[in-house]
Amino acid sequence: MSKIEVLSDAVADQIAAGEVVERPASVVKELVENALDAGATDISIALETGGRSLIRVIDNGEGMEREDALLAIERHATSKIRNAADLVGVASYGFRGEALPAIASISKFELETTPRSGSEGTRVVVSGGRVDAVEPAVRQSGTTISVRRIFFNTPARRKFLRSQAAETRACVDAITLLALARLDVSFKLTSDDRVLIDVPQAGSVAERIGGLFGREMAEGMIPVDHQTPTLSVRGYIQRPADARPTGRKAFLFVNGRPFKDPFLVRAAETGFRGAATPGTKPSMVLSLEVPGEAVDVNVHPAKQEVRFKDRYFLEKCVEEAVRGALSPVESAPGWEGGGGTVARWHGGTGFHASGSGAQDGVELPPSFFAPEEEGTVAPGIGELLQVFNTFIVCETSEGLTFIDQHSAHERIIFESAMRQLEGDEAVSQRLLIPITVDLNSNELEAVEAHSDVLASVGFEIEPFGGRTVMVHATPNPHPRFDAKACFEELATDLARERFGSLPNRLHRFAATYGCRAAVKAGQKLSASEMRNLLVGLFACDLPPHDVHGRPTIVRLQREELERKFGR
Ligand SMILES: Nc1ncnc2c1ncn2[C@@H]1O[C@H](COP(=O)(O)OP(=O)(O)OP(=O)(O)O)[C@@H](O)[C@H]1O
Ligand SMILES: [Mg+2]
C-alpha cells in the first residue's frame, strides 16, 4: 500500500485555516474586510469571552443570493477576481476566496444574508466545515456572520490562544486599523456588552484618530503631506514633545490597505530624528498612494505584508515626508497656538507642578521634596554635589558616595507605595480643576480594573464618558511631579497587562508607579531636594537597590582613590 494519501478536503481546509486564522482577531479582520468589500457603511462586531465563544460581524453591505452564500464557503470561491492578472492593483481586501471556508472549517459557523436585489434571505449553518443546514431567513439586506467556539475541533490551536484580555486587545487592534483606513464607514465593537470602539463616519483622519484614541492624541499630531509625481505620503505624525520611548502606535496603509513594515516605520523615525529627544518613538498614521503595479499585495497569508517594487525610493519619500512635516515647527516657534488643526489641546488645566511651586487653584500639601526645617542634615552626610544632573555625590569618612537620583527616588516611592497599598493613607492633593485624560479603550479598561491600587497611591479618578477620565486628586511625590504624564504612562503600563495575572500585583504596581513617579535623570535638584532624597533613601528598608535590582549607591573608597594617585 502506498504511504502517501491525498488529504480529505476537510483536513486540507483545517490546515489552510492555520495560515489565515491564527486567533479570533484574524477572524474579525477577515469578516470585516469582507463587509467592507461588500460596500457596507455600517459594521458592528460583537465578541464574547475575547472571541472564544462568539465573534459576530453584522454589516449593511450588498448581501448574497442563496447560490452565492453556498459558494462563499467553498474554497477558492471569490467574486473579487477572475484571473491572475486581476491581482495587479487589486483594490478589494479579499481576492483569494479562502477566508470563509477556512473560518467555517474550525468553528460553528452561521451565515445569514439578504441581497439588496430584494430576493429572500438565506441562512447557512456549518459545523467544522460540514454544512448542517441551508434555509430561508428573514433579514434586512446585508450580512451577519456568527463564529462560535473557534478551534473547537482543533485543540492544538486552541491551546495557543492567549488570555481573554490579550485576544480582545488584538481584535481592537484589527478594527482600529481598518477604521483608520476607512473613514467612510462607522464601526462599533462590543466585548461582552462593553463598548470598546464606537466611531461614526468621519470627515477627516484627525476626526477618526480622535474617535479611536481620544481628542488629545488627535490634536497632538502634525499633518504629513508629501507628494512626488508617482506617489504620495499623507497622514499624521506625533509631535516630538509628546513622543515617548515606549507605547507608540504606528499604522501604515498602502492604497487603503493596512500593512506592517518595520523598515518604513524606521524610515519615518529617521525623518523624526533631530526634532525629538533621542530614543523617543513617535506614533504615526501614514497612508501611501502608489500605482497599483508598484506593490504586490499577495505575498503574505494574512495579507499583513506587501512587497514594493522600489523600496529604497519609498523609504526615502517617507523619511522626507516626516522631515518636511516637522520642519515648520522648528522654523516657526509661534505655530503652537495658531496652527489650526495642529494646535495641541491642553485640556485647560495646565497642571504641571513645576519647580515654581503651586499654581493657581492647586494646593500642594507638604511633600517629600518640600523645603524642610533648617538643619535636618542626615548624620554623616556632608556637602552634596549633583553631577550630570543625574548623580548626587557626597563625601563620607570612607570615601565618595554616588547616588543615582532616579533609582533612589524610585526605591523611596516604591516603599511608601507598598505601605499605602497595604493600608496606609496616601498623601494626595485635591485639584480644584481636575485633569482630564483621554485614554484608549485598553487603557480605560486597565485603569478601571486597577482603580483600587491607583486610589491607594493617591489618584482619585472618575469616568467622564467616552474614553475620558477625570483625575480629581493626585499623589505629590515631589514638586516637579507631572501628574498627567505619570498617570498616562501608568495607564499605558497597566494596559500592557504587566500586573494582572501576577500574584504579586501590588508589588509590580508599586514598582511601576515608583518608576513613573520618581524624579528623572537629567533633572536639576536643589540642595534641600538632594538632602531629602538621601534622608529618605537611608530611611528605606533596602536603600542600596532600586526596584529592578540595580544599585542606587556606588562607593569609591578613599584608599582606591589614593592608590590611583600612587599615594
Ligand atoms: N459580508 C459579506 N457580504 C457580501 N458578500 C460576502 C461577504 N462575505 C463574503 N462574501 C462573499 O463571499 C466570497 C468569499 O469570501 P472569502 O472571504 O472567503 O473570500 P474573498 O474575500 O473573496 O477572498 P479572501 O480569502 O482573500 O478574503 C467573497 O468573494 C464575497 O463574494
Ligand atoms: Mg475575504
Side-chain angles (χ1 to χ4, degrees), residues 30-31 33-34 37 80 93-95 97-100 303:
E30 293 296 337
L31 297 182
E33 288 185 350
N34 280 347
D37 283 343
K80 300 171 191 174
Y93 291 104
F95 46 77
E98 57 184 20
L100 290 190
K303 309 188 191 92

Side-chain angles (χ1 to χ4, degrees), residues 177-326:
L177 213 50
L178 290 165
L180 283 168
R182 292 298 299 273
L183 311 182
D184 53 331
V185 177
S186 59
F187 294 86
K188 182 168 182 175
L189 170 67
T190 57
S191 164
D192 297 321
D193 297 326
R194 260 183 85 103
V195 178
L196 298 185
I197 292 180
D198 191 0
V199 285
Q201 295 182 345
S204 67
V205 180
E207 194 182 321
R208 187 49 57 96
I209 294 175
L212 292 167
F213 305 113
R215 214 156 36 122
E216 187 169 8
M217 169 100 170
E219 290 168 10
M221 304 285 277
I222 298 171
V224 175
D225 193 348
H226 180 78
Q227 305 201 34
T228 76
T230 47
L231 66 86
S232 73
V233 183
R234 288 210 181 84
Y236 286 87
I237 187 110
Q238 195 172 21
R239 274 185 44 172
D242 295 339
R244 300 273 173 271
T246 56
R248 68 98 166 277
K249 306 173 175 86
F251 303 100
L252 300 177
F253 304 89
V254 57
N255 300 344
R257 182 189 298 279
F259 71 106
K260 296 210 170 95
D261 193 323
F263 296 101
L264 281 182
V265 172
R266 209 167 300 155
E269 278 167 18
T270 309
F272 193 75
R273 215 171 283 151
T277 319
T280 55
K281 293 182 189 301
S283 289
M284 63 186 84
V285 178
L286 296 176
S287 273
L288 317 177
E289 291 292 332
V290 306
E293 69 274 8
V295 54
D296 184 356
V297 296
N298 190 25
V299 294
H300 185 271
K303 309 188 191 92
Q304 279 173 4
E305 291 160 22
V306 300
R307 190 183 293 139
F308 293 103
K309 261 203 184 133
D310 191 351
R311 146 169 298 283
Y312 178 75
F313 175 64
L314 198 69
E315 285 179 14
K316 281 286 147 223
C317 286
V318 167
E319 183 184 327
E320 259 320 283
V322 170
R323 188 170 297 123
L326 297 179

